[in-house]
Amino acid sequence: MKLLEEKILNTGKCIGDDILKVDMFLNHQLDVKLLDDIGEEINRIFAEDKPNKILTVEASGIAIAVAASRAMGYLPVVFAKKTKPSTMIDDSYCAEAISFTKGTSSILRVSKDFLNKDDRVLIIDDFLAKGEAGMALCDLVKQAGGTVVGFTAAIEKEHQGGAERMRNIGIKVQSLAVIAEMRDGKITFK
């Protein structure tokens, strides 16, 4: 997605050779027009897969998932929680994910009320690096007996191998901006 690539080049900041800071438009402050364009692109890519639900992780994936939902006819958006709130009193599906950026481990949780065997789930996240969150989200859908119809990230860091890891388990992966390399503050897109 050329528009997203341009936004990354114009306002993103490399931190070393592995971390991309995009908080000017995606992770802290939101460019809502860009999000709407992202949602339309996700719909263009995945409409034929006929998802009936979108799954993401709190918090950065929610805005992208909502934009995609709007473009796809207002599909329900479910987001996995990183900590168990006191209101989650029912059974839940759980899977561990290690955050590449934060260097922490979280148990992702989704109430069994929100995922089931009839669901055709599109998984959406802000970043795809090593694939930890994506794999954990796939596991949650599998536990529910549902089907993952695809995975997309706004930004994929191809050199970190997450997309390949997910494709190896049979998941359709198509991210919107695919970074081939980050080196010395320069970003090269695939």
Side-chain angles (χ1 to χ4, degrees):
M1 185 176 174
K2 200 68 169 162
L3 182 64
L4 179 56
E5 290 176 1
E6 289 171 6
K7 191 75 162 182
I8 291 166
L9 291 174
N10 292 331
T11 62
K13 292 183 172 81
C14 294
I15 301 173
D17 291 339
D18 287 325
I19 297 176
L20 176 61
K21 183 176 178 176
V22 291
D23 60 353
M24 289 295 295
F25 63 92
L26 194 61
N27 296 111
H28 198 63
Q29 174 175 276
L30 299 174
D31 180 331
V32 177
K33 172 66 173 110
L34 178 63
L35 285 169
D36 285 344
D37 292 339
I38 286 171
E40 290 295 332
E41 182 67 3
I42 291 170
N43 181 49
R44 186 190 67 75
I45 295 166
F46 290 99
E48 68 184 24
D49 299 300
K50 300 188 180 346
N52 67 350
K53 196 166 282 183
I54 295 171
L55 177 63
T56 191
V57 178
E58 66 178 357
S60 296
I62 295 173
I64 300 165
V66 168
S69 169
R70 187 171 28 256
M72 299 180 103
Y74 298 97
L75 298 179
V77 173
V78 176
F79 59 92
K81 295 186 175 275
K82 293 180 182 175
T83 58
K84 184 176 182 180
S86 60
T87 57
M88 191 177 271
I89 55 175
D90 300 327
D91 284 340
S92 57
Y93 303 112
C94 301
E96 182 179 20
I98 298 169
S99 168
F100 173 78
T101 309
K102 296 177 185 151
T104 59
S105 175
S106 299
I107 303 297
L108 304 184
R109 293 175 169 80
V110 171
S111 171
K112 289 186 177 181
D113 292 335
F114 302 122
L115 284 177
N116 64 63
K117 65 180 177 54
D118 298 321
D119 287 330
R120 296 180 50 78
V121 180
L122 174 60
I123 298 174
I124 297 176
D125 209 353
D126 58 342
F127 275 93
L128 174 56
K130 295 189 177 195
E132 289 289 325
M135 295 294 284
L137 292 169
C138 287
D139 186 33
L140 294 174
V141 175
K142 181 180 177 183
Q143 289 176 47
T147 302
V148 176
V149 298
F151 176 93
T152 188
I155 303 167
E156 175 186 326
K157 294 186 274 180
E158 180 185 56
H159 60 286
Q160 292 181 320
E164 181 179 347
R165 185 176 173 202
M166 294 182 70
R167 286 183 185 110
N168 286 341
I169 64 165
I171 304 298
K172 173 184 175 179
V173 178
Q174 189 164 346
S175 299
L176 305 185
V178 180
I179 297 171
E181 183 177 61
M182 293 171 47
R183 188 172 306 271
D184 300 324
K186 292 189 82 171
I187 298 168
T188 306
F189 292 100
K190 181 177 177 183

